[in-house]
Amino acid sequence: MKEQRGVCFFAYNNDQLDYVELAIIAAKYVKKHLKLPVCLITNEGSESWLEESKPKKLINESFDYIVITNDEMKQNRRRHFDSPWTSFTAQFNNSNKHKIYEYSPFEQTLLLDIDYIVKTDTLLKYFDSEHPVCMFDNALTVRNELPAERERALYDAGIKMWWSTVIYFDRSDFSKLFFDTWAHIADNYAFYQYLYNFPSKLFRTDYCVSIAVHMLGGMQDNQTHIGNFDNSSLVNMSQKDDIIETHGLDEWILIAHDQKEDWKNILVNSDNQDIHIMNKRALARVVPDLLEYFNEGT
Amino acid sequence: MDERLEKALEFSNYALTINNQKRNIRNRVAQLQIVHHLGGVFVANHETISFIKTLIDLKHKSSVVIDSKNNPITVKSLKDLLEKLVDAYTSATTEFDIENEKLKKARNIKKIMDW
């Protein structure tokens, strides 16, 4: 018998980023604001590193379940930014994300990326939603601007982009169909890239879910089976933005760049706002502070 | 730099920052105003609250109400829905007021950032 409600994170380390450490932070925020059990889905190597690098107590406090997978990952080099001025590339292991339907120990699951920090209880209400699957279909930058064109549609005249950063799903037949469709698209990625004309060699699960939504919606944009979190926006702190300071757990001061003129920044006070920290190095830099706040209970 | 230009740019940056914070608050308030009830999605605003109250005043106990997604929802207890809407409206507007007051007092970027 599966536990009713919970949150899952995938975390596979690479030579540049300690995903399991970031998963600890994301899990602790989930525990604080959503008060739900958390499952970490990882591989043997990342789990060994987690046990070696973090105290047992912290791991147990953060994760109620750990699922070890041994899926073969596609070669997928991703260019990351850390501010407009620094970049690095690293292997991005995401080709088994659709298997969450199989791996999740919960009847109703919220799958979050490890860089999605939950600072409100807003997502809780979607466990009572009438939609079997929910994802964001629009996003805003922390400056409340629309993201780049290619993150709104798969190409200039293409289908709408849906984000796989936050996925709510239940165990209905429709949810199974959705993940099976996603698996099919992932298996035939080159064909769908040709058909839907989306760019880059990077394997993006956002593209897979966008196409799955389009197909299951009868190739129309106005489908109603998949919820979009009541039209609210995914708030993205871009890879070119940074976290300047944390005032306790929930109030962060960010520096947000201008998309057209990188050097023009404004400060943003991010408080009471769920936020997608796409600059993972920025998040990693504040991990010690955040762990200290969690210890102090502030 | 000309001092007048320096001051103008400083104010411009302040205006940009404070407007962004105001939009953040409005987005948060909009989220708090969303009420899920019996599979329907309702927005706790003046219009919905007044409409449900009108139905109750006209002695309706239950009714089919069109939700914000244009779906018909059979609301078994209008009183329960009204309570939920008023709760959501009150917590949203209270948070709006607190945050708005903070921003009104913030005369420079440092204050907006709570530094």
Side-chain angles (χ1 to χ4, degrees):
Chain A
M1 176 82 179
K2 288 179 187 289
E3 196 160 342
Q4 190 59 36
R5 293 175 174 186
V7 176
C8 289
F9 292 100
F10 278 97
Y12 299 112
N13 283 7
N14 58 34
D15 55 358
Q16 295 284 339
L17 293 163
D18 189 350
Y19 278 78
V20 287
E21 180 183 62
L22 301 182
I24 285 184
I25 295 298
K28 292 202 75 88
Y29 272 96
V30 164
K31 300 255 174 189
K32 179 174 189 263
H33 290 286
L34 303 182
K35 297 179 174 55
L36 288 173
V38 174
C39 171
L40 173 71
I41 301 162
T42 187
N43 56 13
E44 263 179 41
S46 304
E47 203 237 356
S48 305
W49 171 246
L50 175 67
E51 292 199 349
E52 196 182 313
S53 60
K54 296 285 177 263
K56 189 88 189 148
K57 184 172 171 278
L58 179 62
I59 299 169
N60 290 342
E61 277 168 8
S62 309
F63 306 117
D64 302 85
Y65 301 86
I66 295 183
V67 173
I68 306 292
T69 65
N70 59 359
D71 296 307
E72 200 176 314
M73 296 292 178
K74 288 180 184 169
Q75 169 85 5
N76 198 27
R77 300 293 293 178
R78 181 182 197 176
R79 187 178 184 202
H80 295 260
F81 283 89
D82 177 15
S83 85
W85 325 113
T86 312
S87 70
F88 60 98
T89 52
Q91 165 68 13
F92 184 33
N93 294 317
N94 62 346
S95 51
N96 66 341
K97 199 170 175 182
H98 59 274
K99 288 192 174 176
I100 184 62
Y101 191 86
E102 178 188 328
Y103 295 146
S104 169
F106 309 114
E107 286 292 330
Q108 289 176 283
T109 304
L110 189 62
L111 173 64
L112 302 178
D113 282 1
I114 49 88
D115 53 1
Y116 191 75
I117 303 297
V118 170
K119 293 203 250 168
T120 73
D121 63 358
T122 306
L123 285 170
L124 272 183
K125 57 180 141 182
Y126 297 97
F127 283 91
D128 296 316
S129 152
E130 82 276 30
H131 293 292
V133 178
C134 294
M135 292 177 292
F136 286 103
D137 68 348
N138 69 87
L140 284 175
T141 69
V142 289
R143 296 171 72 122
N144 285 292
E145 290 165 352
L146 292 172
E149 289 273 341
R150 207 42 70 245
E151 304 206 313
R152 285 186 259 162
L154 268 58
Y155 85 107
D156 289 347
I159 61 166
K160 185 201 274 189
M161 165 124 158
W162 288 69
W163 292 80
S164 65
T165 312
V166 178
I167 305 175
Y168 162 79
F169 66 93
D170 63 14
R171 293 273 162 200
S172 63
D173 291 344
F174 180 82
S175 295
K176 174 88 171 60
L177 179 66
F178 170 74
F179 287 104
D180 287 348
T181 308
W182 177 349
H184 160 77
I185 294 160
D187 288 345
N188 299 278
Y189 197 70
F191 170 73
Y192 283 98
Q193 183 165 18
Y194 173 73
L195 194 63
Y196 281 86
N197 209 13
F198 56 80
S200 94
K201 287 175 183 154
L202 181 74
F203 176 82
R204 278 189 76 162
T205 52
D206 301 316
Y207 295 156
C208 293
V209 298
S210 304
I211 295 166
V213 172
H214 186 241
M215 286 170 71
L216 295 175
M219 315 294 178
Q220 310 259 324
D221 251 354
N222 57 352
Q223 65 80 36
T224 54
H225 286 83
I226 294 175
N228 64 354
F229 296 117
D230 297 323
N231 223 14
S232 55
S233 304
L234 173 69
V235 178
N236 286 332
M237 189 196 97
S238 147
Q239 294 192 357
K240 294 182 178 180
D241 300 337
D242 204 349
I243 304 168
I244 298 294
E245 203 171 287
T246 55
H247 296 171
L249 281 172
D250 292 334
E251 189 180 357
W252 297 3
I253 311 298
L254 317 174
I255 190 159
H257 81 293
D258 185 306
Q259 291 180 74
K260 290 185 187 131
E261 296 168 294
D262 277 345
W263 59 94
K264 283 190 180 171
N265 299 301
I266 62 165
L267 292 170
V268 178
N269 183 328
S270 167
D271 189 11
N272 280 330
Q273 180 183 46
D274 296 348
I275 187 165
H276 184 202
I277 308 290
M278 297 168 92
N279 181 347
K280 292 175 187 62
R281 285 236 169 112
L283 185 57
R285 278 192 289 274
V286 295
V287 164
D289 291 345
L290 298 176
L291 285 177
E292 206 174 307
Y293 294 138
F294 276 116
N295 279 338
E296 291 165 2
T298 52
Chain B
M1 192 194 295
D2 183 330
E3 193 187 330
R4 290 166 303 177
L5 176 61
E6 198 176 329
K7 282 187 173 163
L9 291 177
E10 194 180 309
F11 185 81
S12 162
N13 215 6
Y14 162 79
L16 196 64
T17 308
I18 201 158
N19 286 338
N20 191 50
Q21 289 306 129
K22 282 181 182 170
R23 281 197 294 268
N24 278 350
I25 298 169
R26 288 192 193 112
N27 290 343
R28 167 83 180 136
V29 169
Q31 272 180 347
L32 289 171
Q33 282 181 282
I34 293 169
V35 170
H36 287 227
H37 189 70
L38 301 170
V41 182
F42 298 92
V43 181
N45 55 17
H46 301 161
E47 188 188 339
T48 320
I49 290 173
S50 304
F51 177 64
I52 300 299
K53 180 70 169 70
T54 304
L55 289 175
I56 293 171
D57 288 348
L58 293 171
K59 310 289 179 217
H60 291 272
K61 285 196 168 128
S62 64
S63 178
V64 176
V65 182
I66 307 298
D67 77 351
S68 63
K69 301 267 171 80
N70 268 332
N71 290 318
I73 307 297
T74 305
V75 179
K76 288 174 198 150
S77 166
L78 289 168
K79 195 168 156 276
D80 288 353
L81 175 58
L82 183 63
E83 268 174 30
K84 269 191 178 179
L85 289 168
V86 172
D87 281 353
Y89 181 84
T90 312
S91 56
T93 50
T94 305
E95 188 162 331
F96 197 178
D97 186 43
I98 293 168
E99 296 299 324
N100 202 44
E101 282 303 314
K102 269 196 225 166
L103 278 188
K104 272 205 273 186
K105 287 176 195 154
R107 295 287 173 212
N108 57 48
I109 291 178
K110 217 172 155 183
K111 284 267 191 283
I112 302 171
M113 293 301 122
D114 223 358
W115 262 331

